[in-house]
Amino acid sequence: MTLTVAIIGRPNVGKSTLFNRLVGGRRAIVDDTPGVTRDWQEAEASIGPLHFTAIDTAGLEEAAAGTLERRMRESTEAVLRRADVALFLIDARTGVTPLDRHFADLLRRSGKPIVLVANKCEGKVASANLAEAYALGLGEPLALSAEHGEGLSDLYDALAGHAGAEAAVDAEDGDRAPQGPLKLAIVGRPNVGKSTLVNRLIGKERLLVGPEAGITRDAITVDWTWEGRAIRLVDTAGMRRKSRVEAKLEKLAVADTLSTIRLAEVVVLMLDGTLGLEKQDLTIADLVVQEGRALVIGVNKWDLVEDRAKALRAIEDRLEAGLAQVRGVPVVTFSAATGRHVDRLMPAVAAQVERWNRRVRTSELNRWLEGALERHPPPAVRGRRLKLRYATQVSARPPTVALFCSRPMSLPEDYIRYLANGFRESFDLAGVPIRFVVRKPDNPYQDNE
């Protein structure tokens, strides 16, 4: 088993900065505002030849029962129980605080191996405060700067002592990695039940949920298996209208969500069934389609809808009008809170991914094209009829067709849409974005220099 390392400490000591440094990218949102991280997230990390799993956690705080802060602390304590070793971070510039002492006592009683890390050790003041850390009773503090990458060699030495042989991975084994999991992003407006759905799918309370809107900030990745297939679920922050996004943290969270959509293979756009399909939902759906991702509409809170037939008809009508470029996007209704009909979602996702990956043989494609041209010939431009020679599918994910035309720049956009809609309908690609790339065929009689 891989070594699991939990990064723990009070708010704003640099846990997410260290997490990003160890995993080699900006996986967690970093800001000077305390309490940015709420849900824990994990990723494969490394320091030189040492490979391990790093977990970024919410800041430890004293909080009353029933509050969001208390649920965040309980989530962090659950991470500590499953970790092999904990990195307890303190802020060397601030020095040891009473809150650091309080949680150091809790960590000692946990029985877990603890590595004390004094972060932000860039200046003279930080070095002077380093001696205070010995009073925590957790051994010698490691001087480190997560922001600048200083002190990682000492952290390597500390973690290597807790790692088994399996934590060091030879470079020769890199090519034997299994095929990657399906990347499934859950997106939508705030408070539509995205985190609740993820918890329901995986069968445990992995993500923080509650009545408060906007609990999720980071894009949280959860590895899961559905019917033997590896799935990488990504829960994202709610996306409000751009005009309403003012706070810096929300802008960072939305940027994280947009990045998640670009990296996903299939996106479930969650709606609140009691509110129906709103303009912002269509904006998000259009973004997913522009990125070429497979799309499924998930309508949550369906148990609270009174006239379900009317509500579903309104959603489908608005999709038909506002998302005509991908007609037939599957719509799945369920209640994430109760679990009713949640089992319908993944079969719809799997079917949509199959369509998104589909390839059509060139012979079938050109027989279809011949029929499409007979039904509706291309227009004449400046008195000359455009000639479409042939077509071939050049890629999938999404299906992309190269169409060879005598004058590519003259082929109208509405005729390309006609072909895309016909292609989608003829080859059972409902709801899948289709891309047509119009090219000019090579002239065999033209000299090639």
Side-chain angles (χ1 to χ4, degrees):
M1 292 178 62
T2 304
L3 181 74
T4 301
V5 179
I7 304 173
I8 292 175
R10 60 182 174 80
N12 215 32
V13 294
K15 298 183 296 298
S16 295
T17 303
L18 177 59
F19 176 79
N20 288 341
R21 173 69 63 178
L22 295 175
V23 305
R26 197 192 69 79
R27 291 287 299 272
I29 294 176
V30 176
D31 191 73
D32 293 335
T33 307
V36 170
T37 302
R38 288 174 170 174
D39 270 305
W40 58 269
Q41 65 170 315
E42 63 181 301
E44 295 305 309
S46 63
I47 307 176
L50 179 67
H51 293 247
F52 55 95
T53 299
I55 305 180
D56 184 27
T57 65
L60 288 169
E61 296 182 88
E62 283 295 326
T67 62
L68 174 60
E69 288 75 15
R70 183 57 175 265
R71 300 200 302 274
M72 290 162 58
R73 174 177 164 177
E74 291 169 352
S75 173
T76 298
E77 291 172 349
V79 170
L80 178 61
R81 288 192 291 271
R82 61 167 285 206
D84 298 310
V85 60
L87 302 183
F88 181 49
L89 262 66
I90 62 171
D91 186 337
R93 290 184 300 197
T94 304
V96 176
T97 69
L99 202 57
D100 290 326
R101 295 189 182 93
H102 173 68
F103 288 116
D105 291 338
L106 290 179
L107 290 174
R108 275 200 305 271
R109 291 198 294 269
S110 71
K112 295 284 183 178
I114 308 297
V115 176
L116 178 60
V117 178
N119 190 28
K120 307 181 184 180
C121 281
E122 298 93 353
K124 295 180 179 179
V125 174
S127 301
N129 290 336
L130 203 58
E132 296 181 21
Y134 285 92
L136 295 174
L138 296 174
E140 182 179 0
L142 297 181
L144 187 141
S145 171
E147 184 174 357
H148 297 95
E150 299 173 2
L152 291 180
S153 59
D154 292 333
L155 183 58
Y156 168 85
D157 293 337
L159 291 178
H162 298 286
E166 69 281 351
V169 179
D170 292 332
E172 298 175 359
D173 295 335
D175 294 334
R176 295 203 294 268
Q179 185 178 1
L182 175 69
K183 300 178 183 67
L184 170 57
I186 313 294
V187 305
R189 290 178 288 111
N191 218 30
V192 294
K194 299 183 294 295
S195 299
T196 303
L197 174 63
V198 173
N199 287 342
R200 177 66 63 179
L201 288 173
I202 66 177
K204 59 183 178 181
E205 295 298 311
R206 163 64 177 85
L207 301 173
L208 289 176
V209 296
E212 305 92 344
I215 290 178
T216 303
R217 285 174 173 166
D218 290 291
I220 305 297
T221 301
V222 180
D223 288 323
W224 175 54
T225 301
W226 174 74
E227 295 190 354
R229 183 171 190 177
I231 308 289
R232 180 153 292 168
L233 285 169
V234 187
D235 182 31
T236 62
M239 298 176 68
R240 298 194 296 165
R241 287 203 303 267
K242 193 173 183 180
S243 60
R244 293 187 177 181
V245 179
E246 297 178 355
K248 178 184 176 184
L249 277 179
E250 188 173 359
K251 289 180 180 178
L252 291 172
V254 170
D256 213 22
T257 299
L258 295 175
S259 177
T260 298
I261 291 173
R262 296 184 188 102
L263 296 174
E265 295 171 84
V266 58
V267 175
V268 173
L269 172 59
M270 294 256 312
L271 311 181
D272 184 332
T274 63
L275 300 176
L277 184 67
E278 299 189 342
K279 184 178 179 181
Q280 175 65 2
D281 299 316
L282 284 173
T283 300
I284 299 172
D286 185 62
L287 174 64
V288 173
V289 171
Q290 288 180 27
E291 292 294 336
R293 307 301 95 186
L295 176 64
V296 175
I297 306 295
V299 187
N300 190 25
K301 307 181 185 180
W302 201 240
D303 54 322
L304 304 179
V305 178
E306 294 182 2
D307 191 340
R308 296 176 184 174
K310 180 180 178 181
L312 183 58
R313 188 164 55 251
I315 290 172
E316 291 175 341
D317 288 347
R318 188 144 195 212
L319 279 173
E320 182 71 18
L323 212 62
Q325 67 271 37
V326 283
R327 291 174 181 164
V329 174
V331 178
V332 184
T333 59
F334 52 82
S335 169
T338 66
R340 183 172 174 80
H341 296 322
V342 169
D343 57 346
R344 296 176 177 176
L345 180 63
M346 287 308 299
V349 166
Q352 198 67 352
V353 170
E354 189 278 328
R355 296 186 188 100
W356 187 64
N357 280 281
R358 188 172 300 168
R359 284 184 174 272
V360 179
R361 288 183 298 182
T362 300
S363 57
E364 294 180 43
L365 181 55
N366 282 283
R367 281 196 296 271
W368 162 81
L369 178 62
E370 184 178 344
L373 296 178
E374 288 179 0
R375 287 188 297 272
H376 183 18
V381 178
R382 298 194 188 115
R384 296 171 58 194
R385 179 73 64 182
L386 296 174
K387 295 180 180 180
L388 302 184
R389 307 292 186 184
Y390 63 96
T392 184
Q393 185 174 346
V394 294
S395 67
R397 305 164 60 88
T400 303
V401 175
L403 183 65
F404 292 87
C405 176
S406 57
R407 286 176 289 158
M409 301 301 293
S410 299
L411 190 64
E413 284 294 327
D414 59 351
Y415 195 80
I416 296 175
R417 284 195 297 271
Y418 156 73
L419 292 175
N421 288 333
F423 179 76
R424 181 181 295 108
E425 183 178 347
S426 298
F427 295 102
D428 186 26
L429 297 172
V432 175
I434 306 294
R435 291 176 175 170
F436 270 75
V437 181
V438 186
R439 301 175 179 172
K440 187 172 183 177
D442 292 333
N443 186 346
Y445 299 103
Q446 182 178 342
D447 292 335
N448 294 320
E449 294 182 4

